[in-house]
Amino acid sequence: MPPPADIVKVAIEWPGAYPKLMEIDQKKPLSAIIKEVCDGWSLANHEYFALQHADSSNFYITEKNRNEIKNGTILRLTTSPAQNAQQLHERIQSSSMDAKLEALKDLASLSRDVTFAQEFINLDGISLLTQMVESGTERYQKLQKIMKPCFGDMLSFTLTAFVELMDHGIVSWDTFSVAFIKKIASFVNKSAIDISILQRSLAILESMVLNSHDLYQKVAQEITIGQLIPHLQGTDQEIQTYTIAVINALFLKAPDERRQEMANILAQKQLRSIILTHVIRAQRAINNEMAHQLYVLQVLTFNLLEDRMMTKMDPQDQAQRDIIFELRRIAFDAESEPNNSSGSMEKRKSMYTRDYKKLGFINHVNPAMDFTQTPPGMLALDNMLYFAKHHQDAYIRIVLENSSREDKHECPFGRSSIELTKMLCEILKVGELPSETCNDFHPMFFTHDRSFEEFFCICIQLLNKTWKEMRATSEDFNKVMQVVKEQVMRALTTKPSSLDQFKSKLQNLSYTEILKIRQSERMNQEDFQSRPILELKEKIQPEILELIKQQRLNRLVEGTCFRKLNARRRQDKFWYCRLSPNHKVLHYGDLEESPQGEVPHDSLQDKLPVADIKAVVTGKDCPHMKEKGALKQNKEVLELAFSILYDSNCQLNFIAPDKHEYCIWTDGLNALLGKDMMSDLTRNDLDTLLSMEIKLRLLDLENIQIPDAPPPIPKEPSNYDFVYDCN
């Protein structure tokens, strides 16, 4: 007979004694279980003791998390969190340097546990740590010379404990003094400082900036971009990552009027070229966190264009009108203007109208009206002027080529530039907040100070080339723009390392090549609409849906690693969730690092019976998306968020690593609940598998025996001294 569900068999350790094998009744109060354990070892004052996991986490067992205990778990009897916090609070104030160092080391380790953290914070432990940081260097300045390693470790453990305690979100960031901020900033500004101290100091500054407007202003006064740049020129990628994270945080929280000023400072300090040399082109792989920070920097840089993108042109503004005059002058090299007589005025207007038509503006009389739509607003005119000045030969060639064609075959440069600028802003999502999970940065945008303008210059030439290849007329304008968008998107997916490489990728994606790709995709997705085929589809669709369902459930059984996110900062903390092979229980638990392969069920501490699941919600309906914080405003995070609701007010919150995993999990969970799988991935899989199955069934296979197993792989040849003649 199986043991009752509420009985868990565990081993309990106590220093200096043999471990005890014990059955824990989960219905009994935790204090009663601890008393029973203490009585077994004749330990008085059981209220001073607690149970904790004996693994590397050392997390305390509480009434809230006791359901994580499963059969075979090894627990340890130890002092209670309150007692431990009190003892450590006293030990870190010891006059003995060795005792102090050991206490801070223990504090750094224990502070990861929210139960201990709450008790230590209740003793005003955060204030004690900040005081130690503020006064530590002065107090031990003499000792530092003779005990430098000890002092460095002491400060490192102090800052580590501080970061871990603040990570629980129990204490507000607004409570810290200017003296503390100055001290943390001084560690970052020092040229020679211990790596661990520098790393934690950068993490603290990033959190301060992201979580408090007042602290942003104070940090911005203490830290300059010039002081951060040297940390990017080192070889430690973790330090480089934290440095870029601080720059991104300052950039993100800067008032609108200060962002352009900050961008100018970044340009003066040659941040882009330093990142390109020491990070992107360094002889080592870029990890996910660095890729994310580079993506954020890329987004924030492009978002500086939003102001111009949303600014309408004022037709009465002479300075803005002069830009259009300059475009005309460069294209047609107009001679000195005629005298202002009434006759010459009419002649001049007529000449301007003719030239503006050749330049491809919609409004030939007053082209300023073409730039009153936002987006792209004035950004389109800025791009056109940049192209005319920096790629003058290409600009003149495009304008003159089109002005010599028939009206219906000319590619209107003005209209094309406006629509192209709008399209490029959509592709690069100019004006949107960076995603918390995206790593999609493009190295080529770090190779030029005016990367967006150069991007435009390459694409406007592509547009003109594609127009000629399509032999397009004015009625085909939208079709040409669709082809150009497809060319640009396909080239970007290859992640070219430079603008020249991007240009060469586009050369290989001619209109003819796009047609071939489209035709190939169309053939693969061919849809037969005749009645017999539709009836066949209807007949085999349930079978295909069952196949998709089994695939989704199999993927849930394999499990997925999810990243933990919070409003403080993006972190390399992970948790894993997987479905049991019998599809009855979800197992989940925290991980120290991203796993290589599957994580076994027995290493995941928590479990949730599928029968207890009430509903699965997505996007804005998720509890963790309704909370205040930066994540709530982010469109991409909303699209990856889903939650499992169970019991009365309990939920398990997820943010999928990508759209594919989001679809897999939402489909799988809905399948477990007996609901329809509604994701885009299911629709695509259904279309693909249906098409494939129908094509197989329509093959002429009469008298042909289809084997049940695939044919064996032939042996390798004795030598490879042969060649295929393709002629």
Side-chain angles (χ1 to χ4, degrees), residues 589-606:
D590 293 343
L591 300 176
E592 291 297 320
E593 57 186 3
S594 183
Q596 303 297 319
E598 290 184 24
V599 175
H601 293 98
D602 52 9
S603 65
L604 301 173
Q605 306 91 355
D606 304 315

Side-chain angles (χ1 to χ4, degrees), residues 382-395:
D382 295 342
N383 284 339
M384 292 166 73
L385 183 64
Y386 181 90
F387 181 51
K389 285 189 169 182
H390 294 83
H391 300 270
Q392 196 171 104
D393 291 344
Y395 167 69

